[in-house]
Amino acid sequence: MKRRHHRGNVISFVTNGGKTTLAKNLQKHLPNCSIICQDDFFKPQSEIETDKNGFLQYDVLEALNMEKMMSAISSWKENARCSVVSTDRESAEEIPILIIEGFLLFNYKPLDSIWNRSYFLTIPYEECKRRRSTRVYEPPDSPGYFDGHVWPMYLKHRQEMQDITWEVVYLDGTKSKEDLFLQVYEDLIQQLAKQQCLQVTA
């Protein structure tokens, strides 16, 4: 019997770094691929705390229902186990792939054992602020919100990543969508090939 590993590939990012676009492009080209988006697990605005400046604290783990997200990941893993047909040789196309994309993935310890490959998209302050200014949020950003909350929280979480013990592939978010896609796609294909070679036959 083959031992199959149903693990996730993570794409994390600085806000407005392009991770959702990258994840969707990968899903289009990778067989048997699913996406779980951390943004889908924000708590209602009524449950979001504010700081002394009146800024809503969205860029913290407490603003997210991470238990619900973990439940979604567990459900995917169970479905992946049931959907893979046992064959003498498992092809790369048969390996279930889960892309988990979000902005606070490396800062949540229960996720540490899930990652198979980790990517972190980053862009400079000026470009990040420019991109965010073009987006429409609900609730909308209050004056000074980016400099008073969003960017400081990103720097704080980035500092916390210094304690990570596994490899993280850092991506330049200023590159074109096509270049980023090709970089990650080719890397994932290589990782899938390695995983196929490492399948254990008992």
Side-chain angles (χ1 to χ4, degrees):
M1 177 181 293
K2 292 183 178 179
R3 185 182 304 159
R4 294 182 173 87
H5 303 281
H6 308 293
R7 305 184 70 186
N9 297 286
V10 57
I11 299 175
S12 191
F13 76 121
V14 56
T15 180
N16 304 114
K19 49 87 182 171
T20 301
T21 299
L22 176 57
K24 289 181 177 179
N25 283 341
L26 290 169
Q27 186 182 35
K28 290 178 182 177
H29 292 84
L30 291 169
N32 210 3
C33 179
S34 303
I35 296 175
I36 289 179
C37 176
Q38 191 177 36
D39 285 0
D40 293 336
F41 298 92
F42 273 113
K43 295 176 181 177
Q45 183 181 344
S46 60
E47 298 180 26
I48 305 299
E49 296 184 0
T50 58
D51 66 7
K52 62 182 181 180
N53 297 312
F55 293 140
L56 288 165
Q57 300 294 286
Y58 273 107
D59 289 59
V60 296
L61 280 171
E62 290 74 17
L64 296 150
N65 190 334
M66 293 303 294
E67 292 79 9
K68 187 176 180 180
M69 181 175 171
M70 291 300 296
S71 178
I73 293 171
S74 296
S75 295
W76 176 88
K77 291 171 69 176
E78 182 60 32
N79 290 334
R81 276 192 289 268
C82 295
S83 65
V84 175
V85 178
S86 179
T87 59
D88 290 337
R89 292 186 63 82
E90 184 181 63
S91 68
E93 288 77 13
E94 291 175 319
I95 299 175
I97 301 169
L98 176 63
I99 295 176
I100 306 173
E101 58 105 335
F103 66 106
L104 280 178
L105 299 174
F106 299 129
N107 309 83
Y108 188 64
K109 291 297 183 183
L111 286 170
D112 287 0
S113 62
I114 291 177
W115 312 132
N116 186 53
R117 195 66 167 161
S118 302
Y119 303 92
F120 189 88
L121 271 164
T122 184
I123 52 177
Y125 164 85
E126 293 81 6
E127 178 63 12
C128 184
K129 188 173 184 178
R130 184 194 68 78
R131 292 186 187 183
R132 189 170 180 102
S133 69
T134 66
R135 304 286 180 86
V136 177
Y137 292 93
E138 184 56 45
D141 285 354
S142 56
Y145 189 68
F146 182 85
D147 289 314
H149 174 65
V150 175
W151 191 254
M153 286 296 99
Y154 161 69
L155 295 178
K156 176 179 180 293
H157 300 319
R158 180 71 182 270
Q159 181 62 36
E160 292 173 355
M161 287 177 60
Q162 301 301 318
D163 297 330
I164 289 177
T165 57
W166 65 90
E167 180 184 6
V168 176
V169 179
Y170 287 88
L171 305 172
D172 181 358
T174 63
K175 289 184 177 180
S176 69
K177 296 176 183 178
E178 293 76 14
D179 286 345
L180 282 171
F181 164 74
L182 286 174
Q183 180 181 351
V184 178
Y185 177 78
E186 291 173 359
D187 183 64
L188 284 175
I189 292 299
Q190 292 178 4
Q191 296 303 314
L192 287 171
K194 290 178 182 179
Q195 184 172 336
Q196 185 181 1
C197 292
L198 290 173
Q199 295 292 343
V200 178
T201 302

